[in-house]
Amino acid sequence: ALVALGARIGLGTDSPGTCVRFDFFEEMRLALALQRASGREAGILSAREVIELATIGGARALGLADRVGTLEPGKRADFVVLDVSEMLPTEDIWLSVLSGGPENVRAVVVDGVLIVENGELQGLDRSEILSELKERLRVE
C-alpha cells in the first residue's frame, strides 16, 4: 500500500535483533512471506520486487540513489557476487537468488574494492577490525 502511495520503501537490517542470524537473504524471504501473508495473496509482491527493495529501494529511502543501489556508470561499485549453482533451480532468477544465503556469497566489493573473496577478508586485518569494534562498543 505504501509503494502504491509513492512512499520510498527500502529493506534492510540494523542488527541481529531484527534478523537473528544477521542473514540478509533471510530478511528478504521474511519480508516476502509477511507481505504475502498480510495481503493474503501470493502475487502481491514478487521476488524481483523484494530484491529491488533491498537494493535501489534502500538507496532511495536513504537518499543515496544517485550514488548506490544499481550498477551503472557514475555510481559506486558496491555489490556481491553469488554462486547460483546450488540455489533453488527455477526459471525465475530472482526467486533463485532469494533461495540462497550467505554461504552462496563468493565476493563482496565496496566502492570498487574487493573486500571479501571466498569467505576471506582481502587487505584487511580481522583482529585489528575486531579490536577497533570492541573499543568503539565499550560502555563506560
Side-chain angles (χ1 to χ4, degrees):
L2 289 172
V3 171
L5 292 172
R8 292 181 181 177
I9 305 295
L11 189 60
T13 185
D14 61 355
S15 72
T18 59
C19 184
V20 178
R21 290 184 36 203
F22 213 44
D23 174 346
F24 199 59
F25 291 89
E26 187 176 306
E27 193 80 19
M28 289 188 289
R29 285 190 296 272
L30 181 61
L32 180 63
L34 288 174
Q35 188 63 34
R36 287 178 172 181
S38 69
R40 298 178 186 212
E41 180 186 338
I44 198 165
L45 187 65
S46 70
R48 180 181 181 146
E49 289 168 323
V50 168
I51 293 171
E52 288 175 356
L53 290 173
T55 55
I56 189 63
R60 285 184 188 124
L62 294 171
L64 300 173
D66 61 327
R67 291 176 274 179
V68 298
T70 57
L71 291 176
E72 58 186 286
K75 288 189 175 183
R76 293 177 52 168
D78 296 343
F79 60 92
V80 296
V81 177
L82 302 173
D83 178 356
V84 296
S85 66
E86 295 183 21
M87 292 179 175
L88 178 68
T90 174
E91 292 178 14
D92 181 352
I93 187 64
W94 306 102
L95 187 57
S96 293
V97 169
L98 278 187
S99 76
E103 67 277 4
N104 301 108
V105 175
R106 296 297 172 256
V108 177
V109 176
V110 178
D111 202 14
V113 177
L114 181 65
I115 302 298
V116 177
E117 185 174 29
N118 295 319
E120 299 293 325
L121 285 171
Q122 303 296 308
L124 300 169
D125 183 338
R126 182 181 174 89
S127 60
E128 187 179 308
I129 293 169
L130 289 174
S131 177
E132 182 178 338
L133 178 62
K134 287 177 184 176
E135 180 68 29
R136 289 182 183 214
L137 292 176
R138 184 179 300 150
V139 178
E140 299 186 31

